[in-house]
Amino acid sequence: MKKNYKKLFHLHARAGFGINKTDADRIINTDNWISPLTDIEDVELLKFDLPEIPEGNMGMMEENKKMEMRKQMRVLSKDINIEWINQMSKGKDPLVEKMTLFWHGHFACRIVNPYDAIQYTNTLRENALGNFKDLVMGVSKSSAMIKYLHLKQNNKRKPNEDFARELCELFTLGRDQEYTEQDVKEIARSFTGWSTKRKSTTFYFNERKHDNGEKEIFGKTGNFGGEDVINMILEKKQCARFISTKIYKEFVNPTINEKNLEEITEVMYANNYDIGKTMHHIFSAKWFYSDENIGCKIKSPIELLVGLKKSFQLDPLYKKSWIVLQRNLDQELYIPPNVAGWPGDKSWIDSSRLAFRLRLPSLLLNNGEIPLAFKEDYDVDPNEDRTKMRKIAKFKCNISWSEIEDNFKEDPKKCTLEEMMVRGELSKQASQYLKDNQYDSFKERIIQIISLPEYQLC
């Protein structure tokens, strides 16, 4: 592959949240662009100091103490959300950060308990580039998923099918693919007894609640448990195809190329669901760098925010501004719309959100005020302090423009500022607009470029 800046910026836009010109200059002539992204030995975990899990039975508490505890949980959960945003922008392994976000959308889970949030996030991080079987197993045994899809309520007397259905439909095989309604019922029986220890996020298998009877799943008969079911699902090539399809849409192109997809599916299945090897193959493929796959995907709100934070080293005075921004853009970490996750691609854009997205660079880089017209959060007290919210909405941030200019120093013969900031080609209208409205200052130029609709693509 002939190396150039266009391909390098494309790679890092997909395998991370972008790079600046200084880092691109360091990497451009190295022999291997891919392995440093995919071959990770020691994954950084999300670190957050949580207090000991409170003593006492919440159900027996007085109402005011319950409210206080719920409030404390919400505050800690928001703090973890902000810490994750920081980690994504500063983490040493950009692909681990990007894959963790991807798996959060795949194994969508609404989480309000901070202890569950940390365990769930680090399960995704540890297995982000590992083996998909370990990832499915880890998420299935996480306290967040056990609570969210009612595995605790799943017992031999009254099986609950919520987890069994989503395991097949959303997590591994795809809707109505190689399983039947009867399989779902039997799979639910296999997962009876999966729970967590009391006042803990630790997985616990409750033998008394488990159905030890014979089950028939995928045409096979036996006394299957949850682990057996996951193994049986992964034996099906359809699982590799389903996961490869989601990866292709996220990391290559929302429009599937069947030949390329089949190639990825073969790699994933032949390598026993090794995610790192699959991603290495994708980023090494010639077709990954073809023009049709560059600048063809709409950035998710988190991609947009983290990319801006990383490029301009944004560190606002009021950290909770990141929460307001996520709500305004309709993607808040740990709060997916439902178990299917965020639909992505064109669903991110409507007329009001596009207008807000185009104003966002100027707002964030000029200490602007974030509109508070976000949708209500039903977990928050409706009497929340509005004065405090207005303060948080002021995005106060000190930006070292001289340092930013050094990091995006252009060389018109090799890489212009437009080529650093925008993936794909500028439209004729955008090119003409830049030609007709030229600025001398670096700050004005870069805000002008990243306010173009093309900056919304990656």
Side-chain angles (χ1 to χ4, degrees):
M1 178 181 73
K2 186 178 178 181
K3 295 177 177 176
N4 58 37
Y5 282 98
K6 180 180 179 180
K7 292 174 182 173
L8 182 59
F9 280 115
H10 170 57
L11 171 65
H12 280 265
R14 296 297 174 80
F17 297 93
I19 54 169
N20 58 37
K21 177 68 166 23
T22 302
D23 288 336
D25 288 341
R26 179 175 50 79
I27 298 169
I28 187 81
N29 290 320
T30 55
D31 293 336
N32 188 342
W33 288 359
I34 316 299
S35 294
L37 294 167
T38 58
D39 299 351
I40 308 300
E41 291 188 358
D42 298 315
V43 173
E44 283 181 299
L45 298 182
L46 186 66
K47 293 176 182 171
F48 191 90
D49 288 331
L50 281 168
E52 292 291 320
I53 296 179
E55 291 293 329
N57 186 337
M58 196 167 172
M60 304 290 286
M61 287 181 181
E62 295 175 3
E63 198 54 40
N64 61 337
K65 288 188 177 177
K66 278 187 198 175
M67 285 183 65
E68 184 58 35
M69 183 174 288
R70 289 194 188 106
K71 183 179 178 182
Q72 186 185 6
M73 293 287 175
R74 285 199 300 272
V75 170
L76 288 169
S77 295
K78 296 288 181 289
D79 289 344
I80 291 171
N81 174 318
I82 295 164
E83 190 56 38
W84 190 1
I85 293 286
N86 283 333
Q87 178 69 33
M88 280 191 265
S89 69
K90 296 177 180 174
K92 68 179 179 66
D93 301 314
L95 185 55
V96 170
E97 304 302 334
K98 198 64 170 286
M99 292 299 299
T100 303
L101 178 62
F102 169 72
W103 292 124
H104 179 32
H106 181 77
F107 294 104
C109 202
R110 189 181 177 97
I111 307 172
V112 293
N113 181 311
Y115 304 92
D116 294 343
I118 284 291
Q119 186 204 38
Y120 165 85
T121 310
N122 282 333
T123 299
L124 300 184
R125 297 182 68 81
E126 285 176 314
N127 298 288
L129 286 169
N131 187 281
F132 183 70
K133 175 183 171 182
D134 295 336
L135 179 59
V136 179
M137 204 70 80
V139 171
S140 303
K141 292 182 175 180
S142 69
S143 54
M145 189 59 76
I146 284 172
K147 291 176 185 172
Y148 187 55
L149 290 181
H150 310 118
L151 272 169
K152 275 192 171 183
Q153 288 78 36
N154 185 26
N155 61 71
K156 61 185 176 185
R157 292 186 178 178
K158 193 175 181 182
N160 183 306
E161 297 170 10
D162 289 355
F163 176 77
R165 190 173 307 283
E166 308 312 355
L167 175 67
C168 294
E169 180 177 327
L170 297 175
F171 301 159
T172 58
L173 293 172
R175 188 169 191 177
D176 299 331
Q177 295 291 327
E178 300 193 18
Y179 67 93
T180 65
E181 191 62 25
Q182 187 58 31
D183 287 328
V184 171
K185 293 179 186 297
E186 295 288 85
I187 289 171
R189 290 177 58 211
S190 300
F191 280 93
T192 49
W194 282 41
S195 186
T196 56
K197 291 183 178 177
R198 189 170 174 273
K199 288 190 173 301
S200 167
T201 57
T202 305
F203 175 75
Y204 170 64
F205 178 66
N206 190 333
E207 182 71 38
R208 289 188 300 110
K209 291 188 176 181
H210 180 65
D211 185 338
N212 276 308
E214 198 168 74
K215 299 115 184 164
E216 184 175 339
I217 300 172
F218 306 139
K220 298 178 181 176
T221 304
N223 177 16
F224 301 122
E227 288 95 343
D228 299 321
V229 170
I230 290 173
N231 286 331
M232 290 161 71
I233 287 175
L234 266 64
E235 287 173 4
K236 293 176 176 289
K237 197 171 184 181
Q238 169 57 25
C239 178
R241 183 175 179 80
F242 178 66
I243 301 304
S244 296
T245 301
K246 295 198 73 170
I247 287 176
Y248 191 90
K249 287 183 174 180
E250 180 67 22
F251 290 89
V252 182
N253 194 320
T255 303
I256 293 288
N257 176 309
E258 291 294 338
K259 183 182 173 187
N260 296 343
L261 175 61
E262 193 56 34
E263 183 180 314
I264 299 171
T265 302
E266 288 292 339
V267 170
M268 175 169 271
Y269 195 66
N271 285 282
N272 194 27
Y273 292 90
D274 188 311
I275 302 165
K277 286 182 180 175
T278 305
M279 299 311 294
H280 193 286
H281 181 88
I282 291 171
F283 296 140
S284 301
K286 189 177 178 182
W287 45 256
F288 175 75
Y289 300 91
S290 65
D291 286 345
E292 67 179 14
N293 292 327
I294 298 178
C296 63
K297 183 176 160 290
I298 298 170
K299 292 176 185 173
S300 73
I302 298 296
E303 282 180 298
L304 180 64
L305 292 175
V306 174
L308 285 166
K309 178 174 170 54
K310 184 174 182 178
S311 294
F312 299 98
Q313 302 168 18
L314 300 178
D315 188 16
L317 178 63
Y318 305 115
K319 311 297 181 193
K320 286 189 170 53
S321 296
W322 292 119
I323 304 288
V324 180
L325 285 166
Q326 290 174 54
R327 289 184 190 169
N328 270 21
L329 292 164
D330 219 11
Q331 188 183 26
E332 186 175 354
L333 296 174
Y334 301 120
I335 314 288
N338 52 52
V339 69
W342 295 273
D345 198 30
K346 293 177 182 174
S347 73
W348 294 126
I349 299 290
D350 58 26
S351 55
S352 63
R353 271 181 280 169
L354 177 59
F356 180 61
R357 277 175 169 243
L358 297 179
R359 282 198 301 125
L360 192 62
S362 177
L363 187 157
L364 300 186
L365 302 182
N366 284 313
N367 286 337
E369 186 164 335
I370 309 162
L372 284 173
F374 56 82
K375 63 182 181 181
E376 291 293 335
D377 181 345
Y378 296 107
D379 284 337
V380 175
D381 181 352
N383 296 316
E384 187 175 28
D385 186 341
R386 292 289 162 182
T387 304
K388 182 181 172 186
M389 289 304 295
R390 282 195 290 274
K391 187 174 75 174
I392 291 171
K394 291 176 182 173
F395 197 85
K396 293 184 178 180
C397 203
N398 290 321
I399 299 173
S400 173
W401 281 104
S402 59
E403 190 175 339
I404 302 301
E405 187 168 2
D406 282 344
N407 283 336
F408 289 97
K409 192 164 285 182
E410 67 180 333
D411 179 350
K413 291 183 179 177
K414 293 182 180 177
C415 188
T416 65
L417 192 56
E418 288 85 347
E419 289 167 333
M420 290 179 221
M421 305 313 297
V422 174
R423 307 280 65 80
E425 301 297 325
L426 285 176
S427 67
K428 287 182 181 176
Q429 294 87 342
S431 297
Q432 191 62 46
Y433 168 75
L434 295 178
K435 187 177 178 183
D436 294 343
N437 298 275
Q438 295 186 26
Y439 290 107
D440 291 329
S441 87
F442 172 80
K443 177 182 174 181
E444 287 176 313
R445 274 193 68 205
I446 203 164
I447 291 177
Q448 182 189 39
I449 293 167
I450 65 177
S451 297
L452 293 170
E454 282 86 344
Y455 183 72
Q456 302 299 319
L457 302 173
C458 69

